[in-house]
Amino acid sequence: MPRYYEFHVAVQDSRPRVWRRFLLRTTSTFAHLHRAIQDSFGWNESHLWEFRLPTLRGRPIAGLPGGEEYNRPTPDARDVKLNSYFTGKRVVEWCEYHYDFGDDWVHDVKLVGVVSDTQAFRRRLLDGEWSGPPDDCGGVHGHARMVHFRRTGEDLAGDAPEELATWLGDWDVEADLDRIKVAFDR
């Protein structure tokens, strides 16, 4: 029977709290985990990213190859298996996923457990709340601004509401999890 890691991933400091819970094969790499986070949150993969230890200095676990120019060599996420970090044997197992080093989206990636399923699949979205913040909206403070705008029609920064509405397009605070799930599970 295939085995899967069950992950709970949440954007730190987001209000409302944006999170997803999904299954990913235990044979997957950190590149697969990155792709699952991108797809479940609606990010468009247009920025640098890496997985880090959840410590003050946050040593890289895996990410885009390179980083030598920052004196931080980062192991290639395509080569680092999830089971080299997540064992399913410790009480708490988690790391941080940093996306967009400018807006600085930090996600808590927590292993909920290891499960088996009679069906074989690559990944499966289980649950979540709220839409992922739009790319390039300015981090958690920009996200709060977008949420406020969608709920009230008023822009906290005082910009023209029509321009902000055009920039946001069809982004909504509430996630259409059924639509996300269909695309994610495909």
Side-chain angles (χ1 to χ4, degrees):
M1 239 188 306
R3 293 173 44 85
Y4 301 90
Y5 287 125
E6 182 177 339
F7 287 106
H8 182 276
V9 181
V11 177
Q12 287 182 3
D13 302 321
S14 62
R15 299 290 178 263
R17 184 91 164 143
V18 181
W19 62 273
R20 301 289 184 267
R21 195 166 47 89
F22 54 80
L23 299 176
L24 199 59
R25 282 190 174 228
T26 56
T27 55
S28 299
T29 65
F30 274 92
H32 294 121
L33 180 55
H34 157 72
R35 185 77 251 154
I37 294 170
Q38 288 284 307
D39 291 345
S40 67
F41 282 89
W43 299 116
N44 63 24
E45 199 165 355
S46 58
H47 299 284
L48 296 174
W49 56 273
E50 73 180 6
F51 291 91
R52 298 178 185 168
L53 292 174
T55 60
L56 185 61
R57 297 218 191 312
R59 182 179 60 80
I61 299 168
L64 294 169
E68 288 76 17
E69 66 270 16
Y70 302 110
N71 266 346
R72 269 178 82 102
T74 302
D76 189 335
R78 296 171 297 184
D79 299 331
V80 182
K81 296 278 192 180
L82 292 176
N83 63 15
S84 70
Y85 184 79
F86 295 104
T87 66
K89 296 176 182 172
R90 295 184 294 262
V91 174
V92 177
E93 292 187 49
W94 68 288
C95 66
E96 291 179 338
Y97 171 73
H98 288 233
Y99 174 64
D100 185 348
F101 299 164
D103 279 0
D104 201 29
W105 297 105
V106 181
H107 305 66
D108 291 323
V109 179
K110 296 182 180 180
L111 179 65
V112 175
V114 180
V115 299
S116 296
D117 198 305
T118 56
Q119 294 182 339
F121 50 87
R122 190 172 53 112
R123 62 188 198 178
R124 178 172 291 157
L125 183 65
L126 302 174
D127 203 1
E129 280 190 315
W130 307 105
S131 289
D135 266 297
D136 299 319
C137 73
V140 292
H141 299 293
H143 176 242
R145 175 184 167 211
M146 302 305 127
V147 169
H148 179 81
F149 176 74
R150 280 297 193 220
R151 289 182 172 164
T152 67
E154 171 187 277
D155 182 16
L156 294 172
D159 291 339
E162 307 81 36
E163 291 177 21
L164 188 54
T166 300
W167 182 80
L168 282 173
D170 63 355
W171 181 83
D172 189 9
V173 177
E174 306 257 347
D176 181 353
L177 283 176
D178 291 334
R179 182 186 54 78
I180 296 169
K181 184 174 176 12
V182 167
F184 185 90
D185 293 352
R186 205 173 314 137

